[in-house]
Amino acid sequence: MEHNLLCTPAEMVAHEPLERTACDFSNKNTVFRVETRKYSQQYAQIYNARMKGIRERLEQTAEKKWGIKPLVEIASIIEGERCCIVGNIFKDMRLKPSVLRELSEDHHLIPLPPRKKYTEQEDYLILEDHSLRLTLITDQTDTDTLVTGVPVVIVGCQENRGRFKVEELAYASILGPELSIPIPDDKYLLLVSGLNVGGANTDMLSLELLIDHLTGCGGGIQDSEIMSKVCHVIIAGNLIADKYVRIGKDRNQTVSTLESVSTADSYLSRMVTSLQVTLMPGTNEPGNITLPQQPLYEPMFPKSISYSTLNMVTNPNSMSIDGRTLLGTSGQNIDNIYKFCTTEDRMAILESTLKWGHMAPTAPETLSCYPYDHSHLEPFIIQQLPNIYFAGNQPEFKFKYYEPEGESTLLILVPDFSIVNTCVLVNLKNLECHSMSFATQLNSNGDDNNNPIPMEM
Amino acid sequence: MLVIRAPFGVGTHVLITVIKYTGIFACEEFKQDLNKALKSENTAKNFTLCVLDVAIEEKQSMYFYSKGKRPFFRITVASPRLVPTVRRILEEGDFKFGDYPQKQYSTYESNIEFVVRFMVDTGLVGCGWVSLKGGEYEVRRDRSSRCQIELDVKYNNLVCFAPEEEWQAIGPLRILSFDIECAARKGIFPEADKDRVIQIANVMQIQGQPDYLFKVVFTLKETASIPGAEILCYEHESEMLKDWSSLIRETDPDILTGYNIINFDIPYLMNRAAALNLISFPYLGRTHEKTTMSNTTFQSKAYGKRENKSTKMAGRVQFDVLQILFRDQKLRSYSLNSVSYLFLGQQKEDVHHSKITELQEGDKLTRRRLAIYCLRDAVLPLRLLDKLMCLINYIEMARVTGVPISYLSTRGQQIKVISQLLRKAREQELLMPARKIHGEEEYAGATVIEPRRAFYKDPVSVLDFSSLYPSIMMAHNLCYTSLLGPGDRSELQPEQYIRTPSGNYFVKADVRKGLLPVILEELLKARRKAKADLKMEQDPFKKKVLDGRQLALKMSANSVYGFTGASIGKLPCIEISGSVTAYGREMIGQVKDYVEEKFSIVNGYAHNADVIYGDTDSVMVLFHVATVKESIDLGKKAAELVTANFPHPIKLEFEKVYFPYLLINKKRYAGLYYTQPDKYDKMDCKGIETVRRDNCTLVANLINTCLKKILIERDPGDAIEYVKRTISDLMCNRVDISQLVITKELTKSDKDYSARQAHVVLAGRMKERDAGSAPSLGDRVPYVIIAGTKKQAAYEKAEDPIYVLENNIPIDVKYYLEQQLSKPLLRIFEPIMGDKAERELFHGDHTLSRTIVSSKAGGLTMFAKRSETCIGCKSVLKGNEAVCSHCIERISELYQREVEQLRNFEEKFSRLWTQCQTCQESLHEEVICTNRDCTIFYMRTKVIKDLEEKSRIIGRFEQQVDW
C-alpha cells in the first residue's frame, strides 16, 4: 500500500518514530575569518599574494605541459624569442562600470540601468605581474571566457610594438579531492539558497511546505523516511529577503529589515529544532558585504541561536561532513564573473573557477573583497578540489561531475528558492544529486496542474 | 636671406635661400643722403652699403578714400634690421636731402614684420606649398644647415601656390612629443641649476598615421625594459642630454610637442645643459645656428597678459598642447590629468614631484615605473592633438589667414588681419600707412535691451543677426579705403556716400569697394562652404575638422572689426569701429520696435509680442504662444520680415526657442534650447555656471542640478527642496569634502604678497608639518575653510583637505553658505521665488539641525579623555561594549543600522580603490597618485577613515555577545 498524502487515514499504518540521521560536521572556515580589520593597505597586495600563492603550481603546469620553465618576470622577455610567462589576467573593457564616470560626469543624470553583461567585441586581454603589463594577442574564446584576476601561465612570443602572441594558455595544477571514507548508508545533505523569508512578495506557502517536509510533517511515510536521512542543511545565502525592490529607476525600501530578520529567525528556529543547519550570509543579510562575508551577528537570531544545531559561518565557506569536503559560496563570485564574460552557461563558469584554481578572480576588481595584505595567504585560491563545490542563489538548478583525474567533484548550482521553489538533495554516500521542488498553484503560472507537491526524487 | 623649408616627399628637406629681397617705400634722390644718415647709426655699422635701391612707384594709401595714384618712394635696404632705423630717421623730421627742405615723412608698411612682409610679397601662406623651376635655382655645395638639399633662388622666382585643390594636401609632418622628469629636492620645485634631469620620454608620429614611429625613453641609471619602447640608460646626465640633443637633430622633427614644453621642458633642458657646460647641446634647430632662449610677454584683449619663454629653433614648430588649450578652451583646470580626463575620458595617474625622486633612487624596477609614467605623459599630448584635431585646424587657419603656423599659438588676432589686409591691398596697389599709436579713443559699444527679469514658462523666440558686425561692414562698405576725410565730401555727389549713425562718412561700393568688405566676403563664403560640407560629411572626425574650420573662419571674420577698434593696434580706425557699433545699436532698436508693432493684437495676432531682452546681435521675443512650434513659426516670420528692411547681406535669422527661459540679468540666463518643435537640443546656460576656480565644485554642481530641475523637469519646487537638502547636508557634515575644496596657485612666496592670503599662509603651515609633500612655488594649493574662533582672520582658516579629513576638523559652514552658495543661488531663485528666496532657502526649518564635529587636532582635545558611549542612547559606558544595559533589547536593531552603513563604506572603498588601479594601469603596484583634481581623491581617503571607524563599532558589537 502506498503511503502518501492521498491515502485515507485508515490506510496509514502506524510506524515507528523515525530517527534523524546524524553526521559529523566540522567547519573549516578559519581561513575566511578576518579578525582585525584594517583598511590602510591597498588592493595591490592581494594580487601579489595571489601570484605568490599560485606561482609554483603554474610553473609545474608549464613544465609538465610544455617542458619550459617560466621566466622570473614579464620584464625579462626578449622580443621575438619564444618563452613562457606567468601573471594575472587583466581584461580591458570599455563598458566596465566606473565609479569615476558615475561621480564626476553629469552625476545628476538618470543612472544607466545595470547591464546584464559588460562585455563587447573590443575587449582584450592583458597579462600583468609585479613588473609589467603586456597586451596579449589571443583567441577570441580566451577573451570571451577569461576575466580579470585569473592567474595563468602562457607560452608564446613577444612581437614588435610590445604585444605578446599567445600560443597556448594554461592554469595552475590542482590536487584532486581527498579519497573519502566510504559511507555505508544513504545520508542526505540539503542545500538551499534564496529563501527570502520576510519579503513583501515572499511565497510563504512553499516555505511552509519545505519546512514541513524537512521536519517530517508533510508528505507520506516514504517522504518522511527520506527526510529523516537529511543530516545537514546548508543555507547558502539570502535566508532573509532583500529589503529593497527596484521600482523604476529607484531602489525603494519595502519592508523593514528588522521585521524580516525576526521573521527569518522564527522560521530558522523551527528548522534548527530538528536539524543541523549551517547558515552562510548572502547579499541580503545584514552583515558586511565584502567577501569573505563574516558569520552573521548572533543576537539578530535570538530564537534560533540557543540551539547548538545552528552554525553561523562565513561566505565563502569550506567544511566537512562525514569526511566529505565541501566548498561553496552564496553565489556572488559566479554572478560577478557572469557579467564580465560572454558565456551564458553558469555551470561552465563554476567549473572554470576550479580550473583556474581560484574561487573569485574578479575580486577585488569588480567584486568587493577585504584588502588582504602580504601577511595573509589569499583565501580564495583553491589548492585542492573539494568533494562538493557549490554556488548559491543561481537562476536554475544544475549539477555536474568534474573529474580531471581520479576522484570526481560534484559541482552544484543551488537555485534561488524564491524563484524556482527548488532545493537540492545530495546523497553523501555516492554524491548523487537531486532537486526537490515545492511549486504551489498559488504562485505558479497556472500551468502546473499536476500534483501540487511534485517531488522529483 | 630667408630660410623656407618645404617637404619634398618624405624625408627630403630643401632649404631655399632667397637673395636680394628687402623693402620699404619712400623717395628716390635721397639714396645717397639716406646712406650717409644711416652710417652714423649703430645698427648699420656692419654694412658698407645700406640703401640698395630707391625707386618711384605709383600707389595709393589705403587710409581715406582718394582718387588716382600718387608717387611713392620704394626704398630697398640691405637688411630687414635696418628698416626700423630708416623709419625713425624719416619720421623724426631731421632728415634733409638735396635741395628739398627738412620735413617729417610718413612711411608706409615699415612697421610690418619681415616674415609677414615677405610672405605677402611672394604670396606664400603658412603651411603652403612652393615650387622652383629648373634653371632658376642653384644647388648649394657647402650646406649651411642640416637639410639634405639646399637651394638658392631669387625671390621673384619663387612660385607659391594658393592652398587649393591638390595644394590642400598636408605633408607627412614628423611630430615628436616629449616629456622630462627631474629629481627635485624635498619640498622644492625643481630648479635647473641644481636638480638633475633623470628621464626624457620621446614618441614620434607621422601626421595622419595611426601608429607611432618609435617610443624611446632616456633614463639615468639602469632601468628595466618596457615592451614596445626602447630604454636608453645612462650613467651620466651630461651624456644623456647630449644624446637627446642629437636625437632631435637625427630624427629631425618638423613639430615638437608636449605638455607645457614651451615654459617648462625646453627651458629646463636648455638651462640644465648650460649649468652642466654642455656646449654641443643648444643646437636643436635645422640650421647650424645656436638655439637661444628669451622671455616674451604676450598681451591680447582676448587672452589676457601672459609671460612666456621663447626658444628659437630654426625650422621646427613648437606646438605646445597646453598653450593651444589655453587659447581654445575655457577650462576649470588645465592640468594634464583633468584635460586628458575631459577629452580622452582617461584619468591620468599623477605622481607628486617629491615621489619622483624616491622612485629614481629605488631600483631598476621603480625607475621603470617612472619611465612608464613619463612615457604616458609623452603619448597623451599626441592623443590630445589627434582628438582635438589641433594640428589640422591650425594648418587650416594658417592657410586662410596666410600667417606662419607658429604665430597662431604665440600671437594675437591682429597679425592675422594684417596679413589678409596686406594681401588684398597688394592686389589693388594700395599701401598701408605705418601710423603712430594715438592714445586710447573711446567709442560706444554694443547695446543691451534692458532685460525683464523673470522665469518665463512660455516659449521665447531668439532672433539673431548672423555675423552682425561683418555684415554691417559689408552692407555699408565700411573700410579704410572708403572712409571720407573731413574735406573729401565736397568733391562727391550726395548719392555717392553715406553718413553712418555715428556721424562718419563712407563712399558707396559702386564708387570704390572697400578692402575689408572683400576680405569679409571671402571669409564668409569660405565659411558657408565649410558649413555646407559639414552638413554633407558623415565621418564624425572629418565633421570636427570642418566644424573647426568654420569656427576659425567665423573668428577671423569677427576679428576684422576688432582690428579696426584696437586702439593700440597697427591701424586703428575709430570711424569704422564706431560706425559698426552705432549701426548695431540702431538695428537692435529697430528690430524691437518693428516686432512689437507688427506682431500685435491690432494686426490680428492673439497677443502683443514683447521683446524681453536683447544683446549685441540678438533679440528675445515673447510671442505669448503656448507651443514651441508656434513660437518657431512666428520667429521665422518675424526674421524674414525684418531682414527685408535691411540692406544685403544683413540678415536676421530665427535661431532657437528657449522654453522655459530663466532670465536672471544681462548676459545671465538659462533655458531649454529648441530648434525643432518636438525635442530640445540641450540646456543652454550663459554666465551662470562658473568656471572660476575660487569657487568650490559644490556651487557648480548645485546650480547645475537646480537648473536641470527647473528647466528640464519643470519642477522649481523640487529644485528648492534640493537646495534645502544640500544646505542641510552641509550643516550636518554630509557633503563630500572634495566638493568644498577651493584651489589657488602659489605664484609668489609669502613675503611677496602684500596682503596675507589664505593659500599662502596654509602653504607655510604645511611646510612646517612635512616639507616633502608641501606645495611649492607654481603648485596649486587646495584648501577648505574650517571653523575657527570668531577673532580668527579669514586667511588663517584655510586648511589642507587631507589634514581636515584625518583630524575630523569641522568646516566653516557659514563661510560656504554666505560666501560661496548664497549669491549664485539667489540669482537663480529670485526670478522664481521673489523676495522670499533668501529667507526660505537660507533660514528655513532645514537649517535648524546641525552636526557638531569634534576636532581631533588642536585646542583642548589633547587633554580630553575619550570614553565610549552607547550606540543607542549615547550614555557614557564603562567598558568597550556597544550598548548600555537599557538598550540591550534593541541590540539587533542598532547593529543592523550600523552594519548598513558599514556595507556602504565597504562598497565605496572597493570601488574607489579599484578605480585608482584602473587609472594607474596596474593591479600589482601600490597606488601613488596624488591627483587632487580627481573627484575621488579625497573620497578614497575619507572612506578609509569611515570604514575603520565603523569596523571598530562593529567590533564593539561583536565583543558584546553576552546580550
Side-chain angles (χ1 to χ4, degrees), chain A residues 39 42-44 48 75 88 98 100 102 104 106 108 128 131-133 283 285 287 289-290 297 299 364 368, chain B residues 212 225 227 341 347 368 705 708 895 903 906 910-911 914-915 918 921-924 926-927 935 948 957 963:
Chain A
Y39 293 94
Q42 293 187 6
Y43 279 132
N48 287 307
N88 288 318
S98 151
L100 196 57
E102 288 162 26
S104 48
D106 242 335
H108 310 291
E128 186 179 320
S131 70
L132 261 194
R133 265 192 177 192
T283 42
E285 273 77 24
I289 189 92
T290 53
Y297 188 50
S368 49
Chain B
Y212 301 128
S225 64
Y341 181 66
Q347 266 289 4
R368 173 178 51 208
T705 311
K708 272 185 190 147
Y895 172 82
R903 285 159 75 99
E906 280 185 328
S910 64
R911 292 206 71 192
T914 50
Q915 177 68 53
T918 306
E921 295 180 11
S922 168
L923 303 176
H924 292 71
E926 296 271 312
V927 174
T935 330
E948 282 182 341
F957 274 102
W963 38 281

Side-chain angles (χ1 to χ4, degrees), chain B residues 462-527:
Chain B
V462 181
L463 309 180
D464 182 70
F465 283 109
S466 61
S467 306
L468 177 70
Y469 288 173
S471 57
I472 288 174
M473 292 171 90
M474 289 187 281
H476 301 290
N477 196 39
L478 307 182
C479 181
Y480 302 103
T481 58
S482 58
L483 174 65
L484 287 170
D488 296 345
R489 251 184 303 149
S490 52
E491 294 164 29
L492 292 163
Q493 302 299 317
E495 66 273 12
Q496 286 182 301
Y497 60 86
I498 53 155
R499 182 180 189 275
T500 66
S502 60
N504 304 110
Y505 296 89
F506 290 87
V507 297
K508 289 188 175 170
D510 45 12
V511 180
R512 172 191 260 170
K513 180 134 188 170
L515 288 181
L516 297 178
V518 173
I519 292 172
L520 289 170
E521 269 163 30
E522 284 178 8
L523 287 172
L524 293 180
K525 196 177 125 204
R527 180 171 180 229

Side-chain angles (χ1 to χ4, degrees), chain A residues 198 243 253-261, chain B residues 896:
Chain A
K243 66 173 174 179
Q253 189 168 342
T254 53
V255 282
S256 106
T257 343
L258 210 57
E259 264 170 50
S260 22
V261 169
Chain B
Q896 286 177 39

Side-chain angles (χ1 to χ4, degrees), chain B residues 374-388:
Chain B
C374 188
L375 196 56
R376 206 177 301 159
D377 283 7
V379 171
L380 279 174
L382 286 177
R383 293 196 45 205
L384 283 167
L385 282 185
D386 249 23
K387 185 82 187 182
L388 298 173

Side-chain angles (χ1 to χ4, degrees), chain A residues 132, chain B residues 178-182 198-203 217 219 223 226 231 335-337 346-357 359 365-381 919-922 925 928-931:
Chain A
L132 261 194
Chain B
F178 74 99
D179 180 57
I180 67 168
E181 300 299 337
C182 319
I198 50 179
Q199 294 195 342
I200 313 173
N202 307 273
V203 183
V217 191
T219 67
T223 304
I226 302 173
I231 306 273
S335 69
L336 183 53
N337 312 313
Q346 185 182 349
Q347 266 289 4
K348 185 195 81 94
E349 178 190 22
D350 192 19
V351 181
H352 193 261
H353 42 73
S354 60
K355 191 89 190 172
I356 285 175
T357 316
L359 290 173
L365 296 177
T366 60
R367 283 190 288 274
R368 173 178 51 208
R369 175 144 200 214
L370 190 56
I372 293 173
Y373 172 74
C374 188
L375 196 56
R376 206 177 301 159
D377 283 7
V379 171
L380 279 174
C919 285
Q920 71 163 359
E921 295 180 11
S922 168
E925 305 258 20
I928 54 169
C929 172
T930 51
N931 179 359

